[in-house]
Amino acid sequence: MTSTLNTDQLLVDDATWWRQATVYQIYPRSFADANGDGIGDLRGIISRVPYLQGLGIDAVWLSPFYPSALADGGYDVADYRDVDPRIGTLDEFDEMVEALHGAGIRVIADIVPNHSSDDHVWFQEALAAEPGSPERARYIFRDGLGADGSEPPADWTSMFGEPAWTRVPDGQWYLHLFAKEQPDFNWDNEDVREDFRKTLRFWSDRGVDGFRIDVAHGLTKELGESLPSQAEIDAITEPGAHPLWDRDEVHEIYADWRKVFDEYTPPRIAVAEAWVSTPRRPKYASAEGLGQAFNFDLLEADFDAEQFRTIIADNLALSAASGSSTTWVFSNHDVVRHATRYALPPRNGSTVKQGLKWLLSGGTKPVADAELGLRRARAATLLMLGLPGSAYLYQGEELGLPEVADIPAAERQDPAFFRNPGVDMGRDGCRVPLPWTRAGSSFGFGPDGAHLPQPASFGELSVEAQDGAPGSTLELYRAALALRHELQAAETLEWVRSPSDVLHFARPGGWHVVTNFGTDAVPLPDGEVLLASGPLAGNLLPGATTAWIRTV
Ligand code: NOJ
């Protein structure tokens, strides 16, 4: 399929390309390995550009490819303006951007501004320097409590479950909201601000079209002389009052970045990864700020018509109010893949919460209904691809890959697993390298094995096995993305009255999207069936199935 954006001129001219784009997330270490070291690389991505073009996506978002000790899968960045030598070189990066642009695919890079790696030269300089020095002022260092300062400045817990303050040899402590190898930057420091402007320009000058901003709600902190306890922090409910997250001052940084984005034609885009309440999201997505923000509401929802309807209506209203377009996503490198989440029996009324618990318990109990999970995942995705706004896809979901739950402990990599033994299975199960071929070394991921073990079932889920196979998940995604380009018009939808287990909406141009969340088949509306996520029963739409219908 030829992308409608397949000319340099169109890439330059269209400043609104992001509003209804389909963005495909590549987790570089697990996408394709060209040099045979078991780790995906930029040459691997270059070799798969025809695949990405054939899929019909508008952009790729690359998770971090920077030099990193991999304390957190690359989100511990040692150098923001280079490529990890295991992944490639800057020249290869340029080659990759050129190849993707040549295929009409834009490139979004992941920027990690809340924290660096402890290997970052600035953190090393901070460790070597005195307390109170300018080098330490780029991070958040404090003296400890108690007579000898041996107690941390506060009892806070990091996102990975360990204490959030770590002591350095001279007795001071530094803050890390994630792993101890990820010291938090001090965003009151002008060096930090200037360095990130430099990074944004560095990648924009190399042709990057936009940025995904990691932990966008975390950068600015309100740390007074005496710090509140974890219990006191946990009790704060007033929006904007939390000392660590989602502070209003963070938007000054994004207003500043907006000026950098607007130095380019078309302006560089940005999408905030900000886990904030739905009403706080528009500020991140405002035109004066980052422009767009992830909306994780569907990802956190059950396969349930009413939940979907409310989430869709609320988010379209919110994005209309902020002038942005909303984003939809079901899977990414941090969560249990949706084909598996939807495979779990609900417990306490929620499949999602159960999915997380299932992962925590080792992914063996209760037994998942994989067939049902995939059927629902395909239906949910086809619904999402019919919605106005941008759709974010995660590598491998187009193959219907399940979460790989039984990775042996010795082969796991995610710090979340090691730091919470027996409590958290971590995120390796959604980061297992992609299967490209039915057989052979690492199912075609690379010539010499893969850095995480792939299950035998990956062979029949491979690109080779699904390519051209009628009804395969890959062919469903290809068909949906091609049609989406053709059908996409104004960013509006109209709900059509339907039974309570069914969602039915119409987009301009006579495009109807109908999803049956229930178990009993329901009559299809009149019109031409363009595509369905599963077999139809005559003119009936079976349970856990979506159909796209054209009425004019
Ligand atoms: C969000 C990223 O998606 C996740 O993978 C990472 O662990 C944290 N931010 C910290 O950077």
Side-chain angles (χ1 to χ4, degrees), residues 241-464:
H242 199 287
L244 303 177
W245 300 114
D246 191 24
R247 298 201 53 81
D248 289 335
E249 304 86 79
V250 81
H251 298 291
E252 290 162 20
I253 297 171
Y254 301 137
D256 179 48
W257 287 11
R258 171 53 51 192
K259 292 186 202 135
V260 176
F261 301 147
D262 289 350
E263 289 167 11
Y264 294 86
T265 309
R268 294 331 189 212
I269 68 126
V271 56
E273 188 229 12
W275 291 84
V276 296
S277 64
T278 309
R280 299 278 293 175
R281 204 177 295 136
K283 244 187 153 168
Y284 291 86
S286 75
E288 303 75 42
L290 294 176
Q292 206 178 37
F294 274 117
N295 152 20
F296 295 112
D297 296 353
L298 280 187
L299 181 153
E300 294 186 300
D302 298 311
F303 186 75
D304 176 271
E306 205 36 55
Q307 289 185 39
F308 271 53
R309 185 197 304 271
T310 307
I311 288 169
I312 292 167
D314 287 356
N315 280 288
L316 289 179
L318 264 187
S319 59
S322 75
S324 184
S325 68
T326 193
T327 60
W328 307 108
V329 56
F330 286 116
S331 281
N332 63 34
H333 65 295
D334 286 333
V335 298
V336 177
R337 283 185 178 277
H338 65 297
T340 296
R341 286 202 312 267
Y342 291 148
L344 299 164
R347 203 171 279 181
N348 301 329
S350 162
T351 48
V352 175
K353 293 200 177 75
Q354 175 57 14
L356 297 175
K357 282 202 203 98
W358 172 82
L359 192 71
L360 304 185
S361 74
T364 49
K365 290 179 216 148
V367 174
D369 182 345
E371 193 272 328
L372 176 65
L374 181 57
R375 193 143 46 90
R376 287 175 169 172
R378 289 166 53 124
T381 299
L382 199 57
L383 180 156
M384 170 178 85
L385 292 175
L387 287 169
S390 327
Y392 281 76
L393 307 176
Y394 177 51
Q395 66 178 39
E397 68 167 85
E398 78 280 19
L399 305 175
L401 293 189
E403 185 80 4
V404 181
D406 56 358
I407 301 172
E411 296 189 61
R412 287 195 177 262
Q413 301 172 7
D414 187 8
F417 173 79
F418 296 105
R419 298 198 171 142
N420 300 288
V423 180
D424 190 338
M425 293 303 286
R427 301 161 292 180
D428 294 316
C430 62
R431 299 176 180 181
V432 173
L434 291 195
W436 294 90
T437 53
R438 272 206 171 89
S441 165
S442 60
F443 300 108
F445 165 69
D448 201 11
H451 67 99
L452 280 169
Q454 301 153 300
S457 61
F458 266 31
E460 280 313 307
L461 291 169
S462 65
V463 173
E464 182 185 38

Side-chain angles (χ1 to χ4, degrees), residues 72 75 112 115 160 178 182 212 214-215 273 333-334 427 431:
D72 180 18
Y75 284 88
V112 188
H115 44 263
F160 291 136
F178 292 85
Q182 294 169 294
R212 177 258 189 196
D214 188 66
V215 196
E273 188 229 12
H333 65 295
D334 286 333
R427 301 161 292 180
R431 299 176 180 181

